[in-house]
């Protein structure tokens, strides 16, 4: 990529007909790729052995290494986190209603609804954007069977409070840990909290297997059920003992995973360096709050999350988004507008927003910025200069955008 162009005045901005700052688009979640030669060697090997999927040697090796890294008894690799969630929800016996945050990727809600289980949306704590345990109990009804906490952005949600609430009400507790790979909670790696945790290894995640995911648990019986379910319920040739589906990870994906694992430390250091650069660049911009990770814990620093308070910046999150996209900076507004405002949930619960004031506020503010191995310090400086410029001259920006 060519050196980014530093924007000095409003007329330089691409949205106002300047030339884009970046010659190539910058994405949130450009995949992290490990050592290419080792990946190719593994692919050649699996082509030679002609074992392509279904509990092959690479999948087994990956499962062993992941369980060791996460310090958990069982790791079951899957084709993606959505199917892994569906299988785990079923295997854990969830039914009726399950409490989840609305501020999550739609897959958390869909994995329940797909099985005719009602997701009940809980509000979030505005400080960390994750489920507010203080708002969970008021949502419990006689139909409630469980809670799914979601670890967001590279942080752990309140595992302790959720465990206490779940135990007191005899509810099942599991975690959507799609963002949580390589992160810790009170010094313990995510992966062994609740009945089970579900990771995503999608291409855009910190650690990827092209598409993929995994369920981790310390529960032997649950692990056995999940293993059966992800392979149609087969317990051997010609013997199906359970209702199942196809959740298997391929050997190609496992080869990518094994290769990525070898570069995990590099991925984290680059993400951490980028995160710190963004913090420095945007620290003193009034109206911009950067989400901070707890430095006592491990994080993968995969998401750089800014909150734009329009009442201060006088330029809205969506105006900033438009300005950045014109420059080739494909920032994202995850998880706008919240699951409760998407179908079918919007029709099921037309008044859900009344119980979700913090979620409603947050979805209008969040701006997720590009990071990862494809983004360097110079790119971050140029991105932050664009944001500063737009905020500094917000009045003129508003006038000109209104005229477009
Ligand atoms: N729970 C939570 C909390 C989640 O965040 C997710 C997924 C899940 C559960 C379910 O996990 P999976 O079933 O996916 O394993 C993405 C991802 O599709 C999704 O995995 C992720 N969360 C979610 C937060 O983001 P999009 O629509 O933003 O992603 P996509 O694939 O359009 O890619 C985003 C950008 O990245 C693109 O503009 C281009 C770039 N990109 C993407 C891919 C796939 C690349 O440069 N290379 C690539 O290979 O949803």
């Amino acid at each position: 990529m060519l050196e980014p162009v530093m924007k000095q005045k409003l007329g330089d901005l691409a949205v106002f007909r300047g030339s884009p700052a970046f010659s190539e688009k910058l994405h949130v979640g450009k995949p992290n790729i490990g050592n290419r030669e080792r990946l190719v060697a593994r692919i050649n090997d699996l082509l030679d052995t002609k074992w392509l999927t279904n509990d092959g040697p690479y999948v087994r090796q990956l499962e062993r290494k992941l369980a060791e890294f996460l310090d958990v008894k069982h790791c079951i690799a899957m084709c993606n986190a959505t199917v892994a969630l569906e299988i785990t929800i079923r295997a854990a016996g969830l039914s009726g209603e399950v409490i989840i945050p609305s501020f999550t990727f739609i897959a958390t809600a869909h994995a329940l609804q797909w099985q005719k289980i009602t997701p009940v949306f809980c509000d979030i704590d505005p400080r960390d954007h994750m489920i507010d345990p203080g708002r969970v109990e008021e949502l419990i009804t006689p139909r409630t069977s469980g809670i799914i906490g979601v670890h967001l952005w590279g942080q752990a949600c309140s595992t302790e409070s959720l465990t206490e609430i779940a135990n007191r009400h005899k509810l099942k507790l599991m975690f959507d840990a799609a963002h949580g790979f390589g992160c810790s909670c009170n010094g313990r790696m995510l992966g062994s909290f609740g009945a089970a945790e579900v990771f995503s290894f999608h291409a855009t995640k910190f650690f990827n297997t092209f598409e993929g995911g995994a369920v981790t648990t310390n529960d032997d019986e649950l692990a056995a059920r999940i293993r059966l379910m992800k392979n149609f319920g087969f317990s051997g040739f010609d013997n199906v003992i359970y209702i199942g589906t196809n959740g298997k990870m391929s050997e190609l994906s496992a080869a990518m995973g094994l290769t990525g694992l070898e570069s995990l430390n590099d991925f984290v250091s680059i993400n951490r360096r980028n995160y710190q650069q963004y913090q420095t660049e945007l620290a003193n911009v009034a109206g911009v709050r950067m989400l901070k990770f707890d430095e006592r814990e491990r994080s993968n620093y995969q998401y750089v999350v800014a909150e734009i308070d329009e009442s201060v910046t006088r330029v809205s999150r969506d105006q900033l988004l438009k300005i950045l996209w014109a420059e080739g900076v494909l920032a994202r507004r995850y998880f706008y507008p919240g699951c409760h405002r998407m179908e079918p949930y919007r029709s099921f619960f037309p008044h859900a927003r009344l119980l979700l004031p913090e979620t409603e506020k947050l979805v209008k503010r969040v701006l997720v910025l590009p990071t990862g191995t494809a983004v360097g310090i110079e790119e971050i400086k140029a991105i932050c200069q664009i944001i500063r410029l737009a905020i500094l001259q917000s009045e003129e920006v508003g006038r000109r955008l209104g005229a477009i």
Side-chain angles (χ1 to χ4, degrees):
M1 161 137 56
L2 299 173
E3 281 272 297
V5 181
M6 287 300 261
K7 301 293 168 98
Q8 305 298 345
K9 50 186 195 313
L10 280 194
D12 295 342
L13 293 181
V15 77
F16 302 134
R17 294 168 195 262
S19 49
F22 297 94
S23 55
E24 279 170 44
K25 304 230 178 299
L26 289 178
H27 294 273
V28 171
K30 196 89 183 153
N32 291 328
I33 314 261
N35 184 293
R36 228 172 248 243
E37 283 76 39
R38 284 208 284 273
L39 174 62
V40 171
R42 286 186 167 111
I43 294 173
N44 278 329
D45 177 56
L46 73 88
L47 292 177
D48 288 343
T49 58
K50 293 194 170 49
W51 194 284
L52 305 187
T53 187
N54 203 359
D55 211 16
Y58 283 127
V59 163
R60 284 191 176 190
Q61 206 183 324
L62 181 66
E63 290 181 338
R64 262 198 317 276
K65 291 203 167 174
L66 292 177
E68 200 178 301
F69 176 62
L70 301 174
D71 197 16
V72 64
K73 214 163 160 191
H74 304 279
C75 171
I76 302 132
M78 298 258 184
C79 56
N80 60 55
T82 306
V83 169
L85 278 167
E86 288 167 9
I87 290 177
T88 309
I89 286 164
R90 196 168 184 125
L94 294 183
S95 63
E97 294 173 2
V98 172
I99 298 167
I100 64 168
S102 171
F103 192 74
T104 178
F105 190 58
I106 197 68
T108 322
H110 279 353
L112 290 163
Q113 191 62 46
W114 194 252
Q115 307 182 74
K116 300 201 164 36
I117 299 169
T118 307
V120 173
F121 298 119
C122 184
D123 211 1
I124 42 112
D125 183 332
R127 289 169 299 182
D128 59 18
H129 304 174
M130 295 184 287
I131 191 166
D132 179 355
R135 304 295 306 276
V136 168
E137 282 189 283
E138 64 199 55
L139 302 172
I140 297 174
T141 74
R143 296 191 70 228
T144 310
S145 65
I147 305 168
I148 302 181
V150 183
H151 307 300
L152 274 192
W153 307 137
Q155 327 163 93
C157 68
S158 306
T159 52
E160 229 169 277
S161 312
L162 292 176
T163 304
E164 191 273 316
I165 295 168
N167 287 344
R168 195 146 38 79
H169 292 270
K170 301 201 172 13
L171 300 175
K172 305 244 164 61
L173 174 65
M174 54 179 272
F175 292 95
D176 176 336
H179 295 196
F181 187 74
C183 306
S184 70
C185 180
N186 299 326
R188 181 171 137 201
M189 295 304 274
L190 295 183
S192 58
F193 291 91
E197 303 209 55
V198 175
F199 294 94
S200 169
F201 304 147
H202 178 256
T204 57
K205 295 294 186 290
F206 164 61
F207 164 72
N208 85 82
T209 59
F210 301 121
E211 287 273 2
V215 184
T216 53
T217 179
N218 280 325
D219 180 331
D220 298 346
E221 265 179 54
L222 184 63
R225 256 198 312 278
I226 291 171
R227 267 198 193 287
L228 280 172
M229 282 184 166
K230 70 123 193 307
N231 189 25
F232 314 98
F234 274 107
S235 91
F237 282 126
D238 311 325
N239 188 26
V240 170
I241 60 165
Y242 227 90
I243 181 164
T245 182
N246 184 351
K248 300 186 298 298
M249 177 183 274
S250 74
E251 286 291 279
L252 184 63
S253 285
M256 180 69 167
L258 286 166
T259 311
L261 269 187
E262 294 162 354
S263 299
L264 225 48
N265 290 338
D266 298 339
F267 299 159
V268 185
S269 344
I270 290 168
N271 276 356
R272 188 155 190 276
R273 177 204 68 189
N274 289 354
Y275 159 79
Q276 284 171 335
Q277 188 66 32
Y278 273 114
Q279 297 285 338
T280 309
E281 297 284 333
L282 296 174
N284 298 317
V285 182
V288 178
R289 175 191 173 238
M290 301 301 291
L291 185 90
K292 287 200 170 60
F293 293 108
D294 182 346
E295 289 293 332
R296 292 164 303 183
E297 301 289 356
R298 283 178 75 161
S299 174
N300 52 35
Y301 300 91
Q302 177 69 358
Y303 293 93
V304 172
V305 185
E307 268 180 65
I308 311 300
D309 180 354
E310 188 184 346
S311 68
V312 179
T313 56
R314 302 282 163 198
V315 50
S316 70
R317 185 272 313 269
D318 288 347
Q319 286 173 324
L320 275 177
L321 194 77
K322 186 168 186 176
I323 291 168
L324 289 168
W325 274 59
E327 303 291 348
V329 180
L330 306 188
R332 300 293 298 268
R333 43 182 197 172
Y334 294 134
F335 295 100
Y336 179 83
C339 293
H340 66 290
R341 281 187 180 267
M342 304 218 213
E343 291 298 356
Y345 315 106
R346 187 169 54 185
S347 299
F348 290 169
F349 317 110
H351 304 302
R353 70 196 150 78
L354 300 174
L355 287 172
L356 304 166
E358 297 299 344
T359 305
E360 286 276 304
K361 222 186 291 169
L362 187 65
V363 292
K364 296 190 193 89
R365 292 177 171 216
V366 164
L367 190 63
V368 183
L369 298 164
T371 184
T373 43
V375 180
I377 296 292
E378 291 313 310
E379 280 84 34
I380 294 170
K381 285 184 179 167
I383 294 169
C384 295
Q385 171 65 9
I386 295 163
I387 296 173
R388 282 192 302 256
L389 183 62
I391 292 176
L392 219 58
Q393 302 196 39
S394 54
E395 211 172 303
E396 180 62 9
V397 165
R399 206 182 53 74
R400 290 203 200 182
L401 282 178
I404 292 176

